[in-house]
Amino acid sequence: MSGGRDVIDQHHEPERAEPAQPDDQERDQVASTLGESLAKAARNSGMGQLVDGETPTGTALMAALGGVRGLLETILPGLVFLILFTFTQNVPLSIGISVAVAVVFTVVRIVGKTPVTQALAGLIVVGISAILALITGRGEDNFILGIWLNAAYAAALLASILVRWPLIGLAAGYLMGDGLAWRSVKSKFRVMQALTFLWFLLFAVRLLVQVPLYFAHTDAATSALALTKLLLGVPLYAPLLLITWFVVKKQFPQKPQSPAQKPQGPKPQGNSAG
């Protein structure tokens, strides 16, 4: 009888969570480090202003996109190349003036003692792309680095979805102060997977459009490649950024601060009107 009782007792014994294995702890540590880095990058890029606000104001959205100057730094070098190459088919001229525009933006930031990270990063990409195109003498090679970058972003996003650690979820979790807790909530996890897939689609669409144009190896295709790079840049990125903001704010509502948590300003010294 005691043997039967033992069987019954074992059957009704509540399940206990197994202690975290070393591999799981190491995996979580890597995910935490990556999530914190992504969140920090998002805040430094101006996206923090968009996240902190209750509604996406035009000023906050513009800041998230880099401001007016940031948009010009992103768009103008490519636009200059597009116009010059379309009318002249002169690779050195088109690339040279495009690089010069990027250099001017960087110098202006340095002289004005404003953050140069975005301008410098853009200048490096423009410079490397220009060198590749000048070496080969083909205008389409001015875009090969961008194509490879899009492929890398798409691959990283897709891989994160397949391994069930969506990159947008990692960034949003730490940006909103939730850490990795969202992974234990099925609804949040699915939404973060879906958001990450949308960002994957952004880069995949760019590749689907630009890669065939690159391999066409014609001047008309090169001009079309320059045009599609502009059209599939900010006009595609900005709406997706807004969608991401709405979804993230819905999934990670900010808890109201208690009076004790709210920062206390200096006490008024009297009626200023008197």
Side-chain angles (χ1 to χ4, degrees), residues 17 23 33 139 171 176 215 218 221-222 224 228 232 266:
D23 289 345
T33 302
M176 303 302 289
F215 283 110
T218 65
T222 300
T228 58
L232 297 178

Side-chain angles (χ1 to χ4, degrees), residues 10 22 31 33 48-49 67 79 85 89 91 180 192 224 227 241 273:
Q10 290 175 5
T33 302
Q49 294 186 37
L79 182 60
F85 186 83
Q89 284 79 49
V91 174
L180 300 177
M192 292 303 105
L227 178 60
L241 185 63

